[in-house]
């Protein structure tokens, strides 16, 4: 048995032994569109994982991780999904900010911020998008000024996942007056529990509020809480986005496969599978899922080199579009029943929630349009799009 299979066996055994008792009811809880489910209990579960050394498994051991190889990290995320363990509450800290600090942070920043992420004692959110600068990240207007020993932040962020549950936010802000586009941006670590910060949940189509608006009105953070040099925020922010499309996507695909299999079972039970068009769409969905896995494995070559390159945009477009179409397929398999809520006042079925939430897949983490531009310019070498 090789190291990867031994590691996989260890992960599987630990999950089997620990997703029991008070944690047994958490299986399958908290997925897309259901982030509100049992949040406190899922937080307790993740702290239980931390106590056993099962958070941040891919981080180097000197920063509190297990130093797992890329193949072992893939095995971990796949086994976690196969076990139907609950959706993680510390994903942004563990998968996005932590690797960014390991790559770009100072020793003092790593010492201050990495241990609470490993222990799941501080939760993070991502302050990138703004009302007039969503996918056009270089157009951010939130500004920060260094006043004495603190950065003073003013502006608005939107679509900020789990900000209402977070302790800190890494914020892309303009720190050089008069700068434009990619220049003059800085990457700041800002505490949310302070005067000058207001978080307003945004009600989504699913009736839940994963996303938020975050308003900064003179919010402060220490001068030392800047990652990279002033004006280098774009480089750091792009690295964070690269880490976002890392090994955890393989676990995501286990969930996708489970959704597809459940749709096939439903089509067989309710007779929808007799429709040749439905059968054809199911076959194409199965083929698409295999392509998603191939894309992800190819992208992981970039992860092994340090961070995914622009080729990661190919995978993002494909899985996002595939998952949105899977939601549409689910509703067509449900037929007329899919138009009825499961209960009052707005109790959705799993298929309705999949359909509604997956509409956002082609928007968050970079819209399909932006990803196509990245592919055209950085992969195919086509002339750059005209910009004002």
């Amino acid at each position: 048995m090789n190291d990867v299979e031994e590691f996989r066996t260890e992960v599987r055994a630990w999950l089997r032994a620990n997703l029991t008792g008070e944690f047994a009811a958490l299986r399958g809880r908290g997925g897309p569109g259901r982030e509100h489910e049992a949040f406190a209990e899922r937080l307790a579960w993740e702290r239980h994982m931390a106590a056993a050394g099962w958070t941040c498994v891919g981080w180097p051991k000197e920063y509190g991780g297990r130093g797992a190889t890329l193949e072992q990290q893939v095995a971990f995320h796949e086994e976690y999904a196969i076990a139907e363990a609950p959706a993680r509450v510390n994903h942004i800290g563990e998968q996005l900010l932590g690797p960014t600090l390991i790559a770009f942070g100072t020793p003092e920043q790593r010492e201050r911020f990495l241990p609470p992420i490993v222990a799941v004692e501080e939760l993070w959110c991502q302050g990138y998008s703004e009302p007039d600068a969503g996918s056009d990240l270089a157009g951010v207007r939130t500004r920060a000024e260094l006043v004495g020993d603190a950065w003073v932040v003013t502006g608005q962020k939107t679509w900020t996942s789990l900000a209402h549950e977070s302790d800190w936010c890494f914020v892309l802000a303009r720190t050089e007056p008069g700068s434009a586009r990619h220049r003059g941006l800085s990457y700041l670590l800002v505490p949310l529990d302070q005067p000058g910060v207001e978080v307003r949940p945004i009600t989504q189509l699913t009736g839940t509020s994963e996303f938020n608006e975050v308003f900064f009105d003179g919010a402060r953070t220490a001068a030392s809480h800047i990652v990279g040099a002033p004006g280098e925020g774009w480089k750091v922010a792009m690295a964070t986005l690269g880490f976002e499309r890392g090994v955890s996507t393989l676990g995501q695909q286990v969930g996708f496969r489970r959704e597809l299999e459940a749709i096939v079972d439903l089509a067989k039970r309710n007779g929808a599978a007799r429709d040749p068009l439905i059968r054809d769409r199911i076959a194409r969905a199965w083929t698409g899922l295999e392509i998603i896995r191939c894309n992800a494995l190819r992208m992981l070559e970039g992860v092994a080199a340090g961070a995914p390159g622009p080729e990661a945009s190919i995978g993002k477009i494909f899985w996002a579009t595939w998952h949105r179409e899977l939601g549409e397929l689910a509703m067509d398999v449900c037929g007329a029943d899919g138009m009825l809520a499961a209960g009052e006042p707005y109790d959705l079925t799993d298929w309705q929630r999949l359909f509604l939430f997956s509409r956002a897949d082609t928007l968050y983490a970079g819209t399909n349009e932006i990803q196509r531009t990245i592919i055209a310019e950085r992969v195919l070498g086509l002339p750059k799009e005209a910009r004002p």
Side-chain angles (χ1 to χ4, degrees):
M1 182 180 292
N2 61 36
D3 290 345
V4 175
E5 288 308 311
E6 289 177 357
F7 186 81
R8 183 184 293 276
T9 299
E10 183 182 0
V11 173
R12 185 182 302 154
W14 188 88
L15 289 169
R16 184 183 302 116
N18 286 269
L19 270 174
T20 57
E22 62 180 311
F23 298 126
L26 295 180
R27 290 181 182 271
R29 303 294 294 278
R34 298 159 52 195
E35 296 80 5
H36 61 290
E37 289 183 343
F39 189 89
E41 292 81 359
R42 287 160 49 214
L43 177 60
W45 159 253
E46 202 147 336
R47 288 174 174 168
H48 179 72
M49 291 177 60
W54 287 112
T55 58
C56 307
V57 295
W59 290 15
K61 292 182 180 179
E62 60 264 36
Y63 299 125
R66 282 184 172 245
T69 66
L70 186 62
E71 293 82 2
Q72 289 173 331
Q73 292 175 59
V74 170
F76 173 83
H77 289 288
E78 288 183 336
E79 290 301 321
Y80 192 90
I82 290 169
E84 296 187 84
R88 305 287 295 275
V89 302
N90 195 30
H91 171 81
I92 294 176
E94 179 174 325
Q95 299 292 334
L96 279 69
L97 180 66
T100 301
L101 290 180
I102 290 171
F104 296 96
T106 65
E108 293 77 15
Q109 289 170 347
R110 297 186 191 118
E111 183 179 358
R112 163 61 185 86
F113 292 110
L114 295 183
I117 294 175
V118 174
V120 201
E121 293 174 350
E122 291 178 344
L123 301 182
W124 286 82
C125 60
Q126 180 181 41
Y128 278 14
S129 296
E130 299 183 3
D132 296 320
S135 292
D136 184 20
L137 188 56
V140 299
R141 297 181 182 179
T142 294
R143 64 186 187 276
E145 179 184 3
L146 188 59
V147 180
D149 61 353
W151 293 98
V152 180
V153 184
T154 302
Q156 177 186 355
K157 297 296 181 178
T158 193
W159 315 123
T160 311
S161 296
L162 299 179
H164 60 302
E165 301 285 2
S166 298
D167 305 292
W168 289 78
C169 181
F170 50 93
V171 177
L172 191 63
R174 197 163 295 282
T175 53
E176 295 180 12
S179 63
R181 303 299 299 166
H182 310 85
R183 295 181 175 85
L185 297 171
S186 296
Y187 191 109
L188 304 175
L189 311 178
V190 182
L192 295 181
D193 185 13
Q194 63 165 305
V197 176
E198 181 182 0
V199 178
R200 299 180 187 172
I202 299 172
T203 302
Q204 300 157 214
L205 288 172
T206 54
T208 59
S209 298
E210 178 208 11
F211 299 138
N212 300 266
E213 295 177 292
V214 182
F215 296 87
F216 300 98
D217 185 9
R220 302 172 69 87
T221 193
S224 60
H225 289 172
I226 179 171
V227 183
E232 291 186 352
W234 182 260
K235 177 179 72 174
V236 180
M238 291 302 99
T240 300
L241 291 179
F243 292 125
E244 183 177 19
R245 294 171 190 153
V247 294
S248 62
T249 58
L250 272 297
Q252 176 192 53
Q253 289 165 41
V254 174
F256 287 172
R257 189 174 301 276
R258 186 179 292 118
E259 289 173 340
L260 177 57
E261 290 172 351
I263 290 171
V264 171
D265 288 343
L266 175 63
K268 291 178 178 178
R269 291 198 311 271
N270 70 4
R274 292 193 294 270
D275 185 331
L277 295 179
I278 293 291
R279 290 202 304 274
D280 180 70
R281 290 169 65 187
I282 289 174
R284 284 189 285 120
W286 183 89
T287 303
L289 192 57
E290 296 304 307
I291 294 173
I292 291 172
R293 182 169 179 80
C294 289
N295 280 335
L297 292 173
R298 180 174 60 177
M299 181 192 68
L300 290 181
E301 295 180 3
V303 175
E311 294 84 355
S313 295
I314 298 171
K316 170 58 172 64
I317 287 179
F318 196 92
W319 77 250
T321 303
W322 180 91
H323 200 225
R324 183 185 64 188
E325 292 175 351
L326 186 72
E328 296 167 354
L329 172 61
M331 293 300 288
D332 288 340
V333 168
C334 289
D337 289 344
M339 301 298 291
L340 300 175
E344 297 290 346
Y346 191 61
D347 186 13
L348 300 178
T349 67
D350 288 343
W351 304 125
Q352 292 165 338
R353 190 176 292 108
L354 169 64
F355 170 73
L356 292 172
F357 190 88
S358 63
R359 316 308 294 172
D361 285 348
T362 56
L363 300 176
Y364 66 74
T367 66
N368 277 14
E369 290 77 9
I370 291 295
Q371 302 305 325
R372 291 189 182 100
T373 298
I374 292 172
I375 292 168
E377 295 179 358
R378 303 184 196 175
V379 179
L380 301 179
L382 299 178
K384 288 191 175 184
E385 181 183 23
R387 295 179 174 88

